[in-house]
């Protein structure tokens, strides 16, 4: 079992069991304790030759990938650990704790193997969001877009094919450097459109943006002024799988919405993941339920200077990218607009969620 196709019931331990010789490319845990992976990709898609048949999943020229096929070019640098010598004279690699670090030889890729979608490198929710951007190009035309938790940068790259400016944000210099590499790999998509992608650090656990010029991917005052003055679309894909993370995302969305000068639309992609829990002795989807709870909370807000309207997006739009569009994948829109004559206190008017 050399290739893994991720489905809604895939268990990570099974992936390691069936593919023990493949590195997972996890480099660290983020501030929320979630694993961070490095992944690079190149979209084999000519934006000037997109056809209707490709959009509908029809025939394409033999020997060339259909529109939106993703070629994964994955690379990772492994830190060299300390070495010691066994009694038999063989060098043994040790990790930072002194434990034996067994380095497995990666499986050689077959030259005849056609490039396939990196289902284990890019989350499906990001692919669904990218498909929606391609379907609703007019919505993004000439706009300023901010993506939260960009990961590999896929949605930001697709958005930049039509948007004027895209802020691709996440946390961690290694992750943001990966985004920059992926942007460079896909610069052919941005050349004719003139879109600009700015890779910046945006930590959901902080109330302010980092402006220290000594910190990689920090914000300049000009960038911050442009962000708050021009952004009208916010994006987030596959960042709602942990309750603490979901809380941080929605508080960040609220904080940003209160600082933006224009009405905005947030487009959120989420996968409804089912898990068996000992607490319930049943299959539940607690992370998804927590996400939906936040949507209801936004809709129920009253007395503030912003009004939030939430609606689901019909996911029957054409699929251009190659992935498994399962029923559990969902898109939601949050429309944020100022209240013309709010009845509220001054303190409530100026404060987002605490």
């Amino acid at each position: 079992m050399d290739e893994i196709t991720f489905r809604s019931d895939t268990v990570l331990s099974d992936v390691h069991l069936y593919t023990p010789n493949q590195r997972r490319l996890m480099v660290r845990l983020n501030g929320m304790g979630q694993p961070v992976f490095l992944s690079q990709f190149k979209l084999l898609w000519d934006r000037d030759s997109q056809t209707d048949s490709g959009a509908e999943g029809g025939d394409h020229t033999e020997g060339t990938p259909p529109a939106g096929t993703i070629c994964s070019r994955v690379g990772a640098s492994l830190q060299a650990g300390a070495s010691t010598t066994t009694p038999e004279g063989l060098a043994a690699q040790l990790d930072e704790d002194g434990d034996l670090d067994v380095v497995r030889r990666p499986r050689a890729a077959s030259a005849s193997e056609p490039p396939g979608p990196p289902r284990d490198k890019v989350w499906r929710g990001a692919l669904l969001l990218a498909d929606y951007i391609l379907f609703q190009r007019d919505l993004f035309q000439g706009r300023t877009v901010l993506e939260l938790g960009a990961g590999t940068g896929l949605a930001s790259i697709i958005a930049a094919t039509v948007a004027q400016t895209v802020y691709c944000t996440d946390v961690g210099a290694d992750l943001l450097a990966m985004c920059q590499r992926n942007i460079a790999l896909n610069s052919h998509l941005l050349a004719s459109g003139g879109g600009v992608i700015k890779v910046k650090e945006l930590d959901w656990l902080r109330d302010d943006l980092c402006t220290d010029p000594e910190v990689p991917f920090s914000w300049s005052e000009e960038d911050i002024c442009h962000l708050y003055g021009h952004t009208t679309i916010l994006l987030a894909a596959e960042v709602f799988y942990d309750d603490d993370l979901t809380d941080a995302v929605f508080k960040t969305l609220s904080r940003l919405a209160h600082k933006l000068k224009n009405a905005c639309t947030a487009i959120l992609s989420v996968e409804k993941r089912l898990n068996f829990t000992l607490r319930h002795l049943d299959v539940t989807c607690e992370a998804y339920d927590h996400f939906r709870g936040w949507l209801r909370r936004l809709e129920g807000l009253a007395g503030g200077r912003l009004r939030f309207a939430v609606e689901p997006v019909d996911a029957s739009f054409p699929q251009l990218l190659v992935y498994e569009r399962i029923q559990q994948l969902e898109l939601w829109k949050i429309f944020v607009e100022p209240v013309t004559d709010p009845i509220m206190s001054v303190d409530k008017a100026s404060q987002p969620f605490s």
Side-chain angles (χ1 to χ4, degrees):
M1 187 172 181
D2 295 329
E3 297 294 333
I4 294 291
T5 298
F6 277 72
R7 303 183 184 277
S8 58
D9 58 350
T10 300
V11 179
L12 187 59
S13 59
D14 291 341
V15 177
H16 287 277
L17 176 65
Y18 291 121
T19 58
N21 294 324
Q22 294 191 17
R23 298 189 178 104
R24 299 274 80 81
L25 305 180
M26 189 186 83
V27 293
R28 62 178 172 84
L29 297 179
N30 63 17
M32 305 300 298
Q34 308 295 340
V36 174
F37 294 84
L38 291 187
S39 176
Q40 297 181 38
F41 63 88
K42 181 175 181 179
L43 291 169
L44 303 181
W45 163 50
D46 184 355
R47 66 193 304 269
D48 297 324
S49 63
Q50 184 177 343
T51 61
D52 293 337
S53 62
E56 298 297 332
D59 296 335
H60 58 280
T61 305
E62 185 176 359
T64 61
T69 297
I70 293 180
C71 172
S72 176
R73 298 185 176 183
V74 181
S77 58
L78 301 179
Q79 296 181 349
S83 63
T84 185
T85 304
T86 64
E88 292 78 9
L90 299 177
Q93 298 294 326
L94 303 180
D95 62 13
E96 296 178 355
D97 299 325
D99 299 322
L100 181 63
D101 185 13
V102 180
V103 179
R104 298 182 183 274
R105 184 175 60 186
R107 182 174 62 90
S110 172
S112 61
E113 182 180 350
R119 293 188 176 94
D120 57 337
K121 310 300 190 300
V122 181
W123 288 26
R124 281 178 301 217
L127 293 163
L128 179 71
L129 180 57
D131 260 341
Y132 182 74
I133 296 170
L134 293 172
F135 175 63
Q136 292 283 4
R137 297 172 67 87
D138 292 343
L139 176 64
F140 293 83
Q141 188 70 48
R143 300 293 190 95
T144 296
V145 179
L146 168 65
E147 183 181 10
L148 300 174
T152 62
L154 173 65
S156 289
I157 291 171
I158 297 297
T161 62
V162 285
Q164 184 176 27
T165 304
V166 177
Y167 290 97
C168 174
T169 71
D170 214 310
V171 175
D174 51 358
L175 203 59
L176 294 170
M178 176 188 66
C179 288
Q180 278 196 329
R181 290 194 296 271
N182 287 335
I183 292 168
L185 282 172
N186 293 277
S187 59
H188 59 290
L189 299 180
L190 313 179
S192 58
V196 175
I197 304 180
K198 297 186 177 184
V199 180
K200 300 292 181 182
E201 177 168 295
L202 199 159
D203 190 343
W204 306 336
L205 302 181
R206 293 183 52 176
D207 292 338
D208 56 346
L209 301 175
C210 179
T211 57
D212 185 351
E214 300 297 324
V215 176
F217 307 104
S218 61
W219 297 76
S220 68
E221 294 298 333
E222 182 182 359
D223 287 330
I224 295 176
C225 182
H226 182 270
L227 172 74
Y228 292 148
H230 296 83
T231 300
T232 55
I233 297 178
L234 306 175
L235 303 176
E238 291 280 22
V239 294
F240 306 104
Y241 49 86
D242 175 88
D243 289 356
D244 292 335
L245 203 62
T246 298
D247 293 344
V249 174
F250 276 102
K251 290 177 182 179
T252 300
L253 284 173
S254 175
R255 187 165 57 249
L256 290 169
H258 279 80
K259 293 181 178 181
L260 298 181
K261 294 183 179 179
N262 302 304
C264 65
T265 301
I267 306 173
L268 313 179
S269 176
V270 61
E271 181 173 339
K272 184 178 181 180
R273 290 183 171 86
L274 304 175
N275 297 286
F276 180 85
T277 63
L278 293 176
R279 182 158 59 93
H280 296 93
L281 293 179
D282 198 0
V283 175
T284 63
C285 44
E286 291 182 293
Y288 175 79
D289 293 339
H290 191 72
F291 166 79
R292 290 295 303 271
W294 266 103
L295 296 183
R296 290 190 294 269
R297 182 178 177 184
L298 287 178
E299 282 191 304
L301 286 178
R305 67 180 181 88
L306 294 179
R307 178 185 295 113
F308 296 85
V310 179
E311 70 174 34
V313 176
D314 183 2
S316 61
F317 47 87
Q319 180 173 341
L320 295 177
L321 301 175
V322 180
Y323 62 100
E324 185 186 9
R325 187 181 287 187
I326 61 176
Q327 186 179 2
Q328 289 81 10
L329 285 175
E330 295 181 0
L331 281 178
W332 290 83
K333 276 186 178 181
I334 303 175
F335 301 96
V336 185
E337 58 183 6
V339 177
T340 56
D341 187 20
I343 302 174
M344 58 187 174
S345 66
V346 175
D347 291 339
K348 195 172 185 179
S350 59
Q351 294 296 326
F353 290 117
S354 59

